């Protein structure tokens, strides 16, 4: 039965004829004048039709406005694709596919090839390619993106390959990394991409060792599958679609958003939503936390249009992808995303096809085996060719699996989920994995195909290589001290800072440097810190404000620790609504092992700061905060762990913080020992720079500064020659300690650091003085 019900769909197809380009911020003058002249010409045809001229003026303005909105969205879409690619840590370049067909199985109307192709140096993808026979011209193709635990031999993947091949489509089904021939022991259903054996250490392992997004790896392997399909003469490279289910819904959705070669997509059992940053598996949780920083999911949904006709196909009671409200929240968010996407495209005057199909009373199912999905692919991929007739019979997916003498995994073997899917009955036959295997005689796959092998390869590479944009920052850093004495020293006896002095926070405005710093008196166990204030005309020679301290709790218990101003590019201080924003850690120093909490204050200057806010975040020490667009990003020392590590968080208002899963920097270089502390992050162009402190292994009671760089602020590459700034034994006041720093780039292009110091023990001063040094920066 050929699909005849497409006209009954409730889809929205957005189209416009306006293709002129105008400025994204104002109406383009040249475009307006051109349109206006056309209007005047029409007026000359009827001099008495003044109203008609007004109409044409309105149309001209409207036309340019729509064009401007279109250009706005085009620029925004390009930005989003770039940022998504960064979050997913997609490789900067591709390698030769070096594709190999290892075996071929003849199956009546179609054949199945067992093949591999390279997606990265040292990493190969195993896959099945179903090819229809007796075709006179190149055929359209569909890629199947498998879900969590799925691979080329799983029930729904085999069914899809046979169904689509019988209907005239080539069908490529890659093994997901960590599954089947891409799992270290060759197991199916291993979920190896989520690194379950590592459990809660997973984010630490991914962020700090592998330094790659696992979701991004799966997406990249699919993108390389697209490259492979283009090499096959049997396939029409202009008619390629993708389908996916569950995790495969996530990856197929992202592929369709990023790659304009995709012309149609059926995304099943998935919706892109903010909640997945906290309620999801690691492979999707980590990137969603980053997506939340810079996009909304209506925008993400709109990215697939106009090149890919996208159908989101879900059950109304899918509590597998989220048990919130028994799946109702998923339905709500999916409808909102698609509605927002339609609004974005409509405003931009662009064509696009994005639809939702919701099945009542159903849950988690591979809906791409159903008639609706197949009709979708026929409509958008067959082109002028008449589609093959769809078999009239239907079969419940669970009944088919039973008929093959197999059993669906218990979580999905319910009428609500996979078992209850009503599929097109194509007479599919289940084949054992060895029949489909690229290497049927191998008990354990080679490392180049497996998740374990890829991780080990990436870890080894990270020891010697860094991404291209970061390379210039890995040259030696020659910091030169400006003087052999401190820029700020301990106060005279009786002053608030006569015993301890550290944590400079420097701002530069109107040719003047201003510094806040932490100072206290009393023994180490009894010290309570307040903020002192000093000014300088050159950043080197500071004069203390006589009336310091200028800020503190004043309750004899709580300290003001490690202040940080809101920063913009290259460490420059940002104001919001004319006000400075200052964050700091606080702890009750009268209590042993007191909790450190994050607080904020603001004011027109440092002498008129507001009262401290309530706690915004716990276990925060030494915060550093920058603002990008409308997002505040925070890096801090997490003092709840032993050893201390660095974590990352973001906020839209600088008050309510979302903390990224897992640490972003840990002890893993030979020189580091005991703990990391005092991260200072600065953004320069598209690169994040961090100077941080650590105890120096082999140097008793000494610390030094390390350096790391990042493309996204989460995955960091440490300098191979760390530490980059060390104590100076010739200067007694800084012989053992250089850390708790403030860094910015100056007007002349040089970089300046202000840092805290400590003298040689024994001493009663945990912190002793503040120094400064300059660096010309990396070679361009």
């Amino acid at each position: 039965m050929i699909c005849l019900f497409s006209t009954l769909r409730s889809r929205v197809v957005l189209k416009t004829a306006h293709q002129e380009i105008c400025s994204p911020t104002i109406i383009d003058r040249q475009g307006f004048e051109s349109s206006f002249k056309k209007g005047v010409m029409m007026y000359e045809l009827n001099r008495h039709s003044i109203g008609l001229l007004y109409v044409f003026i309105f149309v001209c303005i409207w036309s340019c406005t729509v064009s401007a909105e279109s250009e706005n969205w085009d620029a925004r879409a390009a930005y989003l694709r770039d940022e998504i690619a960064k979050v997913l840590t997609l490789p900067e370049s591709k390698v030769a596919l070096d594709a190999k067909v290892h075996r071929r199985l003849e199956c009546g109307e179609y054949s199945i090839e067992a093949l591999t192709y390279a997606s990265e140096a040292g990493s190969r993808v195993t896959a099945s390619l179903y090819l229809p026979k007796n075709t006179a011209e190149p055929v359209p193709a569909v890629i199947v993106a498998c879900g969590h635990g799925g691979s080329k031999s799983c029930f729904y993947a085999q069914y899809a390959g046979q169904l689509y091949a019988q209907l005239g489509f080539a069908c490529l089904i890659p093994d997901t990394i960590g599954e089947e021939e891409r799992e270290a022991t060759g197991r199916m259903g291993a979920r190896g991409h989520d690194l379950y054996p590592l459990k809660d250490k997973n984010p630490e392992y991914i962020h700090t060792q592998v330094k790659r997004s696992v979701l991004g790896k799966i997406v990249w392997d699919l993108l390389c599958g697209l490259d492979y399909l283009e090499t096959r003469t049997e396939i029409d490279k202009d008619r390629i679609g993708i389908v996916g289910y569950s995790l495969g819904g996530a990856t197929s959705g992202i592929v369709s958003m990023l790659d304009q070669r995709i012309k149609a997509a059926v995304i099943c059992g998935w919706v892109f939503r903010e909640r997945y940053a906290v309620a999801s598996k690691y492979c999707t949780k980590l990137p969603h936390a980053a997506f939340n920083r810079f996009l909304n999911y209506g925008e993400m949904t709109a990215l697939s249009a106009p090149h890919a006709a996208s159908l989101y196909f879900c059950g109304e009671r899918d509590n597998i992808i989220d048990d919130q409200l028994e799946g109702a929240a998923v339905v709500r968010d999916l409808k909102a995303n698609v509605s927002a996407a339609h609004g974005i495209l409509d405003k931009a005057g662009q064509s696009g096809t994005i639809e939702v199909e919701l099945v009542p009373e159903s849950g988690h199912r591979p809906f791409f085996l159903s008639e609706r999905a197949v009709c979708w692919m026929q409509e958008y991929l067959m082109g002028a060719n008449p589609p093959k007739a769809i078999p009239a019979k239907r079969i419940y997916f669970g009944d088919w699996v039973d008929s093959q003498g197999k059993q669906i995994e218990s979580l999905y073997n319910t009428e609500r989920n996979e078992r209850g899917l009503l599929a097109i009955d194509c007479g599919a036959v289940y084949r054992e994995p060895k029949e489909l295997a690229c290497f049927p005689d191998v008990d354990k796959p080679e490392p180049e195909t497996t998740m374990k092998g890829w991780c080990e390869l990436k870890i080894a590479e990270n020891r010697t290589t860094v991404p291209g944009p970061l390379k210039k920052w890995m040259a030696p850093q020659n910091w030169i001290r400006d003087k052999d004495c401190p820029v700020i020293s301990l106060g005279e006896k009786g002053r608030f800072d006569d015993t301890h002095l550290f944590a400079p926070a420097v701002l530069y405005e109107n040719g003047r440097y201003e510094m806040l710093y932490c100072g206290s008196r009393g023994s180490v166990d009894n010290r309570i810190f307040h903020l002192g204030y000093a000014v300088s005309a050159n950043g080197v020679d500071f004069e203390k404000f006589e009336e310091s301290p200028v800020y503190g709790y004043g309750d004899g218990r709580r300290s003001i620790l490690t202040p940080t101003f809101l920063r913009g590019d290259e460490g420059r201080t940002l104001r919001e609504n004319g006000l400075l924003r200052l964050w700091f850690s606080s702890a009750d120093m009268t209590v042993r092992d007191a909790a450190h909490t994050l607080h904020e204050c603001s004011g027109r200057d440092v002498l008129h700061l507001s009262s401290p806010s309530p706690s915004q975040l716990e276990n925060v020490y030494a915060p550093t905060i920058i603002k990008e667009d409308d997002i505040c990003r925070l890096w801090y020392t997490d003092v709840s762990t032993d050893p201390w590590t660095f974590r990352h968080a973001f906020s839209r208002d600088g008050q309510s913080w979302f903390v990224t899963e897992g640490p972003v920097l840990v002890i893993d270089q030979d020189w580091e020992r005991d703990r990391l502390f005092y991260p200072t992050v600065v953004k320069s162009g598209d690169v994040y720079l961090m100077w941080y402190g650590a105890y120096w292994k082999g140097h008793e009671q000494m610390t030094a500064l390390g350096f790391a760089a990042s493309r996204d602020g989460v995955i960091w590459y440490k300098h191979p020659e760390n530490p980059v700034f060390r104590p100076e034994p010739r200067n007694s006041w800084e012989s053992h300690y250089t850390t708790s720093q403030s860094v910015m780039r100056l007007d002349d292009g040089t970089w300046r650091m202000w840092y805290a110091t400590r003298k040689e023990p024994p001493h009663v001063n945990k912190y002793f003085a503040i120094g400064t040094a300059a660096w010309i920066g990396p070679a361009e």
Side-chain angles (χ1 to χ4, degrees):
M1 180 180 68
I2 299 175
C3 179
L4 298 176
F5 60 83
S6 62
T7 56
L8 301 178
R9 302 173 190 164
S10 59
R11 67 175 171 161
V12 177
V13 181
L14 303 168
K15 295 184 179 180
T16 180
H18 304 290
Q19 301 298 327
E20 296 150 351
I21 301 299
C22 294
S23 164
T25 54
I26 59 173
I27 297 175
D28 181 84
R29 177 173 181 149
Q30 184 176 0
F32 173 80
E33 288 177 350
S34 175
S35 297
F36 183 81
K37 288 176 181 177
K38 294 177 184 177
V40 172
M41 290 175 63
M42 293 298 296
Y43 171 70
E44 291 296 329
L45 295 176
N46 187 345
R47 295 175 182 273
H48 302 291
S49 301
I50 299 297
L52 184 62
L53 178 59
Y54 290 152
V55 170
F56 270 95
I57 292 174
F58 172 78
V59 169
C60 293
I61 295 174
W62 176 83
S63 174
C64 284
T65 301
V66 170
S67 297
E69 292 292 350
S70 179
E71 183 173 305
N72 278 342
W73 170 242
D74 289 343
R76 176 68 177 165
Y79 165 78
L80 292 175
R81 289 189 179 100
D82 286 345
E83 291 301 306
I84 290 170
K86 288 179 185 177
V87 167
L88 297 177
T89 62
L90 301 185
E92 297 171 10
S93 60
K94 292 184 176 179
V95 300
L97 288 170
D98 186 28
K100 298 176 182 177
V101 176
H102 300 274
R103 305 169 64 231
R104 185 181 179 95
L105 187 63
E106 301 297 338
C107 309
E109 296 180 61
Y110 59 92
S111 61
I112 308 174
E113 292 182 356
L115 61 91
T116 62
Y117 58 86
S119 60
E120 300 180 52
S123 179
R124 294 186 69 82
V125 180
T126 52
S128 293
L129 177 64
Y130 291 73
L131 281 171
K133 293 182 179 179
N134 304 317
T135 57
E137 57 186 26
V139 298
V142 173
I143 298 179
V144 176
C146 293
H148 204 62
S151 57
K152 66 180 184 296
S153 297
C154 74
F155 303 136
Y156 63 77
Q158 288 199 43
Y159 202 110
Q162 296 176 51
L163 173 61
Y164 282 94
Q166 290 181 36
L167 292 173
F169 297 85
C171 190
L172 179 68
I173 311 174
D175 279 333
T176 303
I177 194 165
E179 296 291 349
E180 202 170 331
E181 291 190 276
R182 305 192 69 194
E183 197 272 330
T185 64
R187 287 187 304 144
M188 291 179 61
R191 279 101 170 152
H193 53 271
D194 240 4
L195 300 173
Y196 274 88
L198 296 171
K199 297 183 180 177
D200 61 348
K201 294 183 179 179
N202 179 312
E204 176 179 329
Y205 183 75
I206 292 298
H207 287 157
T208 65
Q209 296 187 51
V210 180
K211 300 185 190 295
R212 286 284 299 278
S213 160
V214 177
L215 186 70
K217 171 60 173 167
I218 300 170
V219 166
W220 184 252
D221 289 346
L222 291 169
L223 291 170
C224 292
L226 271 173
D227 298 338
Y228 174 71
L229 290 176
E230 288 190 312
T231 70
R232 298 294 297 252
T233 57
E234 307 96 323
I235 294 169
D236 184 342
K237 66 180 182 180
D238 294 322
R239 293 187 290 152
I240 299 176
I242 192 166
V243 300
Y245 158 55
S246 194
L247 172 65
T251 54
S252 62
I254 292 172
V255 169
S256 68
M257 294 166 192
L258 294 181
D259 200 308
Q260 297 188 24
R261 291 176 294 179
I262 296 294
K263 303 306 179 187
V266 178
I267 300 160
C268 306
W270 189 261
V271 54
F272 295 96
R273 58 199 300 250
E274 184 175 349
R275 180 170 161 78
Y276 287 156
V278 294
S280 185
K281 294 178 171 61
Y282 280 130
C283 58
T284 47
K285 181 187 293 186
L286 303 182
H288 271 78
F291 294 158
N292 286 352
R293 290 201 309 269
F294 61 86
L295 56 71
N296 65 64
Y297 291 98
E299 290 181 312
M300 198 172 186
T301 305
L303 286 177
S304 60
H307 62 273
S310 301
L311 174 63
Y312 285 83
F313 207 153
C314 289
E316 289 188 352
R317 297 183 62 208
D318 189 341
N319 62 355
I320 299 295
I321 52 175
D322 187 2
D323 60 3
Q324 192 181 33
L325 303 179
E326 277 292 287
V330 171
V331 172
R332 175 199 65 204
D333 290 349
L334 181 54
K335 288 180 176 178
N337 286 355
V338 174
S339 176
H342 286 158
I344 290 167
L345 296 172
D346 189 29
K347 186 176 181 182
Q350 296 190 6
S351 301
T353 303
I354 306 173
E355 295 185 24
V356 176
E357 181 80 9
L358 296 170
V359 182
E361 300 304 314
S362 69
H364 208 51
R365 297 175 179 174
F367 288 109
F368 49 73
L369 305 181
S370 68
E371 181 182 0
R372 173 80 159 104
V374 169
C375 285
W376 187 270
M377 286 300 179
Q378 286 184 330
E379 178 178 355
Y380 291 104
L381 294 183
M382 279 300 176
N385 299 324
K388 286 191 175 183
I390 296 173
K393 289 181 63 178
R394 301 291 177 267
I395 187 170
Y396 285 103
F397 188 65
D399 291 344
W400 174 77
V401 175
D402 293 345
S403 73
Q404 304 299 303
K406 301 296 178 180
Q407 187 174 1
I408 299 174
E409 188 177 347
S410 59
L411 179 63
Y412 308 104
N413 195 25
T414 65
E415 294 301 320
R416 180 195 288 196
N417 295 324
E418 288 184 9
R419 184 168 194 86
L421 171 68
L422 191 62
I424 296 170
D425 190 348
C426 63
V429 176
Y430 177 77
R431 294 178 173 87
E432 294 296 332
K434 278 193 176 294
E435 291 185 73
L436 302 177
C438 298
F439 310 104
D441 300 323
V442 174
D443 292 331
K444 291 185 178 181
E446 292 295 319
E448 69 174 358
T449 68
T450 67
M451 179 73 181
K452 184 174 184 291
W454 176 71
C455 287
E456 290 175 347
L457 178 66
K458 294 298 110 182
I459 291 170
E461 287 180 357
N462 291 337
R463 297 191 185 105
T464 57
T465 60
V466 297
L470 308 184
K471 287 181 179 178
K472 74 173 185 178
W473 296 98
M474 298 301 164
Q477 294 187 15
N478 184 25
W479 290 91
I480 298 175
R481 292 163 168 85
D482 293 272
K483 52 170 58 179
D484 290 330
C485 61
V487 299
I488 297 286
S489 299
L490 292 176
E492 296 177 359
K493 187 174 178 60
R495 300 288 295 184
F496 87 102
D497 56 356
D498 66 4
T499 310
H500 308 285
L501 182 73
F502 82 123
V506 178
L507 67 86
Y508 175 73
E509 291 181 326
N510 303 317
R512 169 179 156 118
Y513 296 86
E514 300 177 70
M515 178 193 295
L516 290 177
Y517 62 91
C518 296
S520 78
R521 48 189 318 197
S523 67
V524 170
D525 292 335
N526 296 311
R527 65 196 190 282
I528 298 173
F529 286 95
H530 299 77
L531 294 186
Y533 173 54
V535 297
S536 171
N538 59 9
V540 176
D541 302 300
F542 280 86
E543 181 179 353
K544 288 185 178 181
F545 184 59
E546 188 63 27
E547 298 181 23
S548 291
V550 297
Y551 197 74
Y553 275 100
D555 59 7
R557 296 185 297 107
R558 288 176 291 179
S559 284
I560 304 288
L561 302 167
T562 57
T564 185
F565 290 104
L566 179 64
R567 308 281 185 178
D569 287 345
E570 299 185 323
R572 293 302 184 92
T573 307
L574 279 183
R575 288 180 179 265
E576 289 193 337
N577 300 318
L579 300 179
L580 296 169
R581 297 185 72 179
L582 184 81
W583 286 264
F584 54 88
S585 293
S586 180
D588 185 345
M589 305 302 284
T590 65
V591 177
R592 186 173 181 81
D593 297 325
H596 287 70
T597 51
L598 179 69
H599 303 263
E600 179 195 3
C601 59
S602 61
R604 67 179 187 273
D605 56 53
V606 297
L607 299 180
H608 297 87
L609 295 172
S610 62
S611 299
S613 71
S615 172
Q616 296 179 354
L617 200 60
E618 294 185 348
N619 301 313
V620 175
Y621 182 61
T624 179
I625 298 175
I626 64 175
K627 188 168 186 179
E628 303 172 338
D629 298 324
D630 295 326
I631 301 296
C632 293
R633 300 187 67 178
L634 160 70
W635 294 263
Y636 64 93
T637 306
D638 181 356
V639 294
S640 68
T641 63
D642 189 16
W644 293 354
T645 58
F646 294 157
R647 303 199 71 169
H648 165 266
F650 68 90
S651 171
R652 297 191 181 278
D653 59 8
Q655 298 173 349
S656 299
W657 297 93
F658 178 87
V659 180
T660 301
E661 190 84 22
V664 297
L665 213 70
V666 297
I667 292 175
D668 57 11
Q669 282 192 324
D670 290 341
W671 72 279
E672 301 164 343
R673 68 172 177 84
D674 293 349
R675 60 180 51 169
L676 305 179
F677 34 58
Y678 306 115
T680 294
V681 176
V682 174
K683 190 175 184 186
S684 181
D686 292 330
V687 175
Y688 299 86
L689 314 174
M690 179 193 291
W691 288 267
Y692 66 94
Y695 281 104
W696 194 358
K697 187 183 297 182
H699 296 73
E700 189 65 24
Q701 297 192 48
M702 294 181 70
T703 69
L705 289 182
F707 173 80
S710 172
R711 290 184 294 178
D712 64 359
V714 175
I715 295 174
W716 293 87
Y717 290 80
K718 292 182 179 179
H719 200 294
E721 297 180 14
N722 276 339
V724 296
F725 190 70
R726 311 174 182 199
E728 177 49 75
R730 292 178 303 175
N731 297 332
S732 61
W733 56 276
E734 60 167 344
S735 63
H736 277 64
Y737 188 95
T738 51
T739 188
S740 67
Q741 60 284 335
S742 186
V743 182
M744 72 174 66
R745 193 179 188 193
L746 306 183
D747 292 339
D748 63 5
T750 62
W751 293 81
R752 181 163 293 281
M753 174 194 302
W754 296 266
Y755 60 94
T757 74
R758 184 183 297 163
K759 60 182 180 179
E760 182 179 3
H763 49 69
V764 296
N765 316 90
K766 192 171 181 65
Y767 312 104
F768 190 70
I770 294 171
T772 188
W775 171 47
I776 61 172
E780 296 296 332

